[in-house]
Amino acid sequence: MSPPPVYDVVVAGGGPAGCAAALALARAGRTVLLADSGTGPPKTGEALVSVGRLLLADLGVAQPVLATGHLPCHGNLSAWGSTELHAVDSLHDPYGHGWHLDRPLFDRRLRAAAREAGADVAEHTAVRRPSRQPDGTWRLALCDRSGAGERTVRCRWMVDATGRGAAIAVRCGARRRRDDRLTALHLTLDPAPRTAPDGRSLVESDQDGWWYTALLPSRRRLVAYFTDPDLPGAAGGAERFRDRLLATRHVAHRARPHGLSPLPPPRRAPAHSAHLDRVHGDGWTAAGDAAVAFDPLSSQGILTALYTGLSAGEAVHAHLRGDRSALADYAAQVTTARTAYQHGHRAVHAQETRWSERPFWARRRRDTQPNPTR
C-alpha cells in the first residue's frame, strides 16, 4: 500500500476564509489541500461591503469572482433610533458600491480560483480525526460525502475554516466563547411582479430586536428578524412571523409586493458574536467564523472571513519558513479586528434608546463577560 500523500497545509472549510487561506498559501508555493464539506443549509442574503474588492484584488481574484451574478448594493437604509429612514449612499464611498452576493456562486468561484492557483480542492469532503504524529505532521481522514469513501492524507499544518463550530480548533483544545445569543429567523420571498428593483439594504429596529431585508440577485427578497431565543419575537411559526413583519413600518412596505400569504415557517440560524480563546496552537490556525464571528448588523462577515483567511495563510507560510513571530502577529490582528468590532457594536446599539429597558436592548447596553461554549 502506498503511503498517504503529504501536503504542507490542509485547509478545512471551503467558504471565503478557507479559500482565501488556500489562495495565499498556494501562491506562496505551498502544497495545499482545500477540503469543502458542503454541509449545512445554503447561504442566502449575504453582502460584501465595497472595501471587500481590495481584499479580493490582493488575492488576485476580484474580476472573476465579482464580474457577474451578484446584485450591486448602492446604499443602505436604516430606521434605527427613530421611525424615520436614514440613507447612506455608495456615491460617497471611496471604494464604490458593495454587493448582495449569490453566495453559492461566490464560493464556487473562490474555490475555482484556489484550484487554478495550484491547490487541490476536494468537494463534499470533510476533515475527520486529525491525529498528531511523532514526526510532527498530522494524519487526517478525508470523508467523501458523495459516497466515494474515506482516504488518508498527512500535512504539516491545518487551517480551521469550518465556521462557528471551529471543529478542528475545538478538537485541539481551544475553547469557543460566545458573547451573546443572537438568533436569525429568516425566509425568502418570491420575486415581486412589476416592481422597480431597489438594491439598497434596509435595517429596522423594534422592541425585541431588529429586521433586515434586501433583494437577492435572483430578485427574490430576503427578510430576516434578529432577536434572542428567549424573547417573544423568537416564538411562533409563520403566522407570528408574518404578524410581526406587518407591524414594521418600512420592511413591510418592501415585502408586501412579494406576497405575504401564505408564508412558510421562517428558518433559524445562529447569528451570535463569538471567538476562540486562541486562534492558533500546535500545528493549527483558525480563520473566518472559526476564529471570530460577528453580529450580522456589522455587515463584516464576508469581509472578516476574507481578511482573516488571507492573514492566516500568510502567517502559516511565514511560520513554516521559520518566522517565529508570524502566528502571534496574526493573533494580534484578529484581536485588533475584534476590539474595533466591539466598540462599533456598542456604539450602534447605544443609538437605539426607545426601548432601553427591554431585555434585548438592555443586554446590549451593559458590558458582560463572554460565556465559554463548546
Side-chain angles (χ1 to χ4, degrees):
M1 181 180 295
S2 60
V6 181
Y7 294 90
D8 288 328
V9 184
V10 168
V11 180
C19 290
L23 277 162
L25 287 158
R27 289 190 168 149
R30 297 292 175 183
T31 56
V32 183
L33 172 68
L34 175 64
D36 174 45
S37 67
T39 57
K43 305 285 188 180
T44 59
E46 295 191 67
L48 178 66
V49 294
S50 61
V51 71
R53 75 172 78 235
L54 299 185
L55 286 172
L56 291 171
D58 288 343
L59 290 164
V61 298
Q63 198 283 327
V65 169
L66 294 175
T68 59
H70 310 295
L71 181 67
C73 177
H74 292 288
N76 303 287
L77 302 168
S78 62
W80 192 274
S82 78
T83 59
E84 300 304 313
L85 274 182
H86 173 71
V88 176
D89 198 304
S90 63
L91 288 175
H92 304 293
D93 190 322
Y95 303 109
H97 64 76
W99 296 265
H100 297 297
L101 297 177
D102 179 331
R103 179 60 191 278
L105 175 65
F106 184 75
D107 288 2
R108 285 197 305 272
R109 286 176 174 172
L110 282 173
R111 289 193 294 271
R115 185 182 287 111
E116 187 175 340
D120 288 346
V121 178
E123 303 275 4
H124 307 293
T125 300
V127 175
R128 297 283 188 264
R129 301 189 301 279
S131 174
R132 200 74 158 137
Q133 301 299 296
D135 64 357
T137 63
W138 290 97
R139 187 180 182 90
L140 311 170
L142 299 180
C143 302
D144 191 318
R145 296 178 54 248
S146 66
E150 183 176 298
R151 60 191 174 100
T152 300
V153 300
R154 292 171 56 202
C155 65
R156 298 172 63 190
W157 207 266
M158 294 187 297
V159 172
D160 184 349
T162 59
R164 290 173 184 269
I168 301 295
V170 169
R171 185 180 178 93
C172 292
R175 291 178 64 84
R176 191 73 171 153
R177 300 191 180 277
R178 191 172 65 183
D179 299 327
D180 57 65
R181 300 176 62 199
L182 190 69
T183 298
L185 287 78
H186 63 95
L187 52 78
T188 304
L189 305 176
D190 291 334
R194 299 181 301 277
T195 300
D198 184 347
R200 295 177 295 179
S201 62
L202 169 64
V203 171
E204 182 174 355
S205 55
D206 76 6
Q207 62 184 2
D208 291 323
W210 53 276
W211 291 86
Y212 171 85
T213 187
L215 278 179
L216 304 177
S218 63
R219 295 305 194 266
R220 292 163 66 88
R221 177 170 290 278
L222 174 71
V223 177
Y225 184 57
F226 296 87
T227 187
D228 291 337
D230 61 326
L231 298 182
E239 287 304 313
R240 290 283 297 274
F241 186 87
R242 181 176 182 274
D243 290 345
R244 292 190 72 93
L245 169 58
L246 290 174
T248 63
R249 180 173 183 176
H250 302 289
V251 175
H253 174 71
R254 284 156 179 79
R256 279 194 183 95
H258 295 262
L260 297 179
S261 181
L263 286 182
R267 301 179 67 169
R268 290 177 180 259
H272 56 269
S273 305
H275 66 283
L276 286 177
D277 63 348
R278 52 196 173 100
V279 297
H280 66 89
D282 183 19
W284 63 270
T285 305
D289 281 354
V292 59
F294 295 158
D295 182 327
L297 185 63
S298 70
S299 298
Q300 298 292 307
I302 302 294
L303 183 70
T304 302
L306 292 170
Y307 171 69
T308 57
L310 171 60
S311 299
E314 292 175 339
V316 170
H317 169 63
H319 176 79
L320 291 177
R321 72 181 181 190
D323 185 342
R324 296 185 178 182
S325 67
L327 295 176
D329 291 344
Y330 168 66
Q333 289 176 296
V334 174
T335 298
T336 298
R338 179 170 173 263
T339 300
Y341 158 76
Q342 289 176 315
H343 287 319
H345 187 263
R346 284 193 291 267
V348 168
H349 283 84
Q351 293 172 11
E352 181 51 86
T353 60
R354 290 174 290 172
W355 305 289
S356 58
E357 300 306 315
R358 297 284 296 188
F360 180 88
W361 299 100
R363 290 168 183 172
R364 284 152 180 82
R365 291 177 68 87
R366 64 175 181 262
D367 291 328
T368 59
Q369 293 297 317
N371 297 314
T373 184
R374 296 294 292 234

